[in-house]
């Protein structure tokens, strides 16, 4: 019986040593570093209003649509990531074609822009502009221009297309 | 009574054997780290912000942004006993994610690291002689202070009362790449890199 308790004591000591060894750990230190990246979404260009104006027989030989003031200016909204910088590139001029193709007029674009939709407070833009979107991720463009060569104009509808490129500045 | 004692002895031996079998080899481990009195301190510096390298990372651009060791890579200062070896384990996720991750919400991320254990006192000096670990490795063991020449030093002084072992500083630099950026949602993608150091 005494021997039995001897064995039992030896076993309990062994188990105690093992459990003690498992609970202890060598000196260890841990640190963390965060990797991060903000990914931008796509930038969208929305045509809010077309550029429309009327030429009458009383119009002078040259017509100017002031993008900062003229209510007939075209309006474009750029939507992207808040406060991001974008480059706006547009054609300098375009050809205004008569509906039957008989006559071409030359239209020189003038653009103005603003982070809020207040045309009168917009500023004139040059051909390649870097503008910053608002904290809501918007920027407004107004499209006007200068139409010349009205001396030989004939009645009818004229049309043209303006291409504007907007890209994030990397 | 004699038979009973004999049975108890047999059972006792069997019980002892079963304990040994249940914990194979554990009793044979002598972990000297248990007896050290010196601590390891880690001081992280900087973050791995990929927008610092490329301000605009556009979705669906298929671009890969790389922060190299030569860039402004984050680092960790490891201070510990100069006479000991340390094991550094770097655990990084395979993707930087937003939300719960998954398709459309994750970007492949590869983390690499380099170390300098030549006793440099500044990060810029340490970076010059940093040793880059090939991609795929997650753990390395190195001396806290690498011997550049000469015979091996004598064994370290054992820890004893009032004795403070000399300390050394190891620089661990973290760098890596993010991408290709596929058709993912816009947002702030993150991944946490865990660095564990032990003797």
């Amino acid at each position: 019986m005494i021997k039995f308790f001897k064995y039992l004591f030896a076993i309990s000591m062994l188990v105690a040593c093992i459990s003690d060894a498992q609970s202890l750990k060598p000196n260890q230190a841990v640190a963390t570093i965060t990797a991060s990246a903000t990914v931008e979404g796509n930038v969208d260009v929305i045509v809010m209003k077309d550029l429309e104006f009327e030429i009458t027989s009383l119009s002078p030989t040259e017509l100017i649509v002031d993008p900062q003031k003229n209510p007939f200016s075209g309006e474009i909204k750029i939507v992207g990531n808040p406060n991001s910088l974008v480059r706006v590139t547009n054609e300098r001029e375009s050809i205004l074609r008569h509906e039957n193709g008989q006559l071409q007029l030359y239209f020189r674009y003038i653009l103005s822009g603003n982070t809020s939709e207040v045309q009168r407070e917009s500023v004139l833009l040059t051909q390649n502009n870097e503008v910053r979107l608002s904290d809501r991720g918007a920027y407004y463009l107004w499209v006007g221009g200068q139409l010349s060569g009205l001396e030989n104009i004939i009645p009818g509808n004229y049309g043209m297309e303006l291409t504007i490129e907007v890209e994030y500045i990397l | 009574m004699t038979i009973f004692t004999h049975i108890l002895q047999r059972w006792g031996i069997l019980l002892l054997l079963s304990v040994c079998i249940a914990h194979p080899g554990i009793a044979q481990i002598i972990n000297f780290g248990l007896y050290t009195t010196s601590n390891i301190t880690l001081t992280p510096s900087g973050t791995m912000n990929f927008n610092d390298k490329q301000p605009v990372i556009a979705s669906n651009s298929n671009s890969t942004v790389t922060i190299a060791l030569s860039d402004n890579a984050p680092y960790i200062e490891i201070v510990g006993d100069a006479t000991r070896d340390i094991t550094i384990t770097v655990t990084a996720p395979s993707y930087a994610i937003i939300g719960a991750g998954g398709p459309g919400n994750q970007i492949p991320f590869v983390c690499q690291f380099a170390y300098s254990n030549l006793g440099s006192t500044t990060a810029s000096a340490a970076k010059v002689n940093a040793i880059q670990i090939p991609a795929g490795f997650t753990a390395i063991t190195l001396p806290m202070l690498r011997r550049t020449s000469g015979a091996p030093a004598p064994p370290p002084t054992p820890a004893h009362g009032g004795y403070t072992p000399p300390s050394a500083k190891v620089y661990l630099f973290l760098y890596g790449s993010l991408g290709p950026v596929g058709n993912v949602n816009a947002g702030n993608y993150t991944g946490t890199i865990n660095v564990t150091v032990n003797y």
Side-chain angles (χ1 to χ4, degrees), chain A residues 1 3-4 7-8 10-11 14-15 18 21-22 24-42 81 84-85 168-170, chain B residues 8-9 12 26 34 36 38-40 42 48-51 56-59 76 107 109 174 178 186-199:
Chain A
M1 195 65 181
K3 282 186 178 178
F4 168 72
Y7 285 130
L8 205 61
I11 291 165
L14 186 64
V15 170
I18 291 167
Q22 285 175 326
L24 287 173
K25 287 184 177 178
N27 276 359
Q28 192 178 67
V30 178
T32 59
I33 279 188
T34 303
S36 65
T38 299
V39 174
E40 312 285 4
N42 295 325
N81 289 288
S84 58
L85 203 60
Y168 287 116
I169 297 173
L170 301 179
Chain B
L8 280 176
Q9 284 177 2
I26 288 175
L34 295 174
T36 185
S38 55
N39 292 318
I40 305 170
L42 305 185
M48 195 185 288
N49 186 351
F50 287 90
N51 293 108
V56 175
I57 302 171
S59 172
I76 295 174
I107 304 171
F109 171 60
L174 297 164
L178 184 85
N188 188 32
Y189 288 74
T190 58
T192 302
I193 305 161
N194 288 311
V195 177
T196 306
V197 181
N198 58 273
Y199 290 124

Side-chain angles (χ1 to χ4, degrees), chain B:
Chain B
M1 192 63 185
T2 311
I3 295 169
F4 181 68
T5 309
H6 184 70
I7 291 169
L8 280 176
Q9 284 177 2
R10 287 279 181 90
W11 276 106
I13 291 165
L14 280 172
L15 196 62
L16 181 64
L17 282 172
S18 68
V19 170
C20 293
I21 291 165
H23 300 87
I26 288 175
Q28 297 174 27
I29 292 176
I30 302 170
N31 196 336
F32 289 101
L34 295 174
Y35 304 102
T36 185
T37 53
S38 55
N39 292 318
I40 305 170
T41 57
L42 305 185
T43 309
S45 180
T47 58
M48 195 185 288
N49 186 351
F50 287 90
N51 293 108
D52 290 343
K53 185 69 184 288
Q54 184 174 308
V56 175
I57 302 171
S59 172
N60 216 11
S61 61
N62 210 31
S63 63
T64 298
V65 186
T66 301
I67 294 177
L69 175 62
S70 56
D71 294 326
N72 192 20
Y75 61 88
I76 295 174
E77 287 181 4
I78 304 166
V79 177
D81 188 340
T83 61
R84 306 182 69 87
D85 288 354
I86 53 169
T87 296
I88 303 172
T89 306
V90 178
T91 311
S94 302
Y95 296 95
I97 61 168
I98 52 170
N105 293 319
Q106 63 185 26
I107 304 171
F109 171 60
V110 176
C111 180
Q112 286 186 255
F113 58 100
Y115 70 90
S116 173
N117 61 344
L118 284 173
S120 303
T121 52
T122 63
S124 55
K127 190 182 281 189
V128 175
N129 54 44
I131 296 169
Q132 300 187 49
I133 305 300
F137 283 82
T138 57
I140 50 165
T141 299
L142 61 144
M144 277 297 294
L145 188 61
R146 182 153 61 107
R147 184 168 48 86
T148 52
S149 62
T157 306
H160 57 273
Y163 173 74
T164 304
S167 66
K169 189 185 286 183
V170 171
Y171 283 90
L172 181 76
F173 298 93
L174 297 164
Y175 52 98
S177 62
L178 184 85
V181 182
N183 188 15
V184 294
N185 294 316
N188 188 32
Y189 288 74
T190 58
T192 302
I193 305 161
N194 288 311
V195 177
T196 306
V197 181
N198 58 273
Y199 290 124

Side-chain angles (χ1 to χ4, degrees), chain A residues 85-144:
Chain A
L85 203 60
V86 297
R87 181 180 292 113
V88 179
T89 311
N90 65 284
E91 302 164 288
R92 190 173 286 264
E93 59 182 27
S94 190
I95 296 172
L96 197 63
R97 297 180 190 278
H98 189 266
E99 56 189 341
N100 61 16
Q102 285 181 332
L103 185 67
Q104 295 180 352
L105 300 173
Y106 290 93
F107 190 84
R108 183 185 292 269
Y109 290 106
I110 304 171
L111 266 63
S112 66
N114 194 0
T115 51
S116 60
E117 199 174 5
V118 183
Q119 185 181 4
R120 282 195 162 273
E121 294 175 4
S122 61
V123 293
L124 291 175
L125 305 181
T126 55
Q127 192 179 8
N128 292 304
N129 269 282
E130 294 178 4
V131 298
R132 190 171 294 282
L133 306 189
S134 69
D135 54 5
R136 293 187 173 185
Y139 195 85
Y140 297 89
L141 295 174
W142 285 270
V143 182

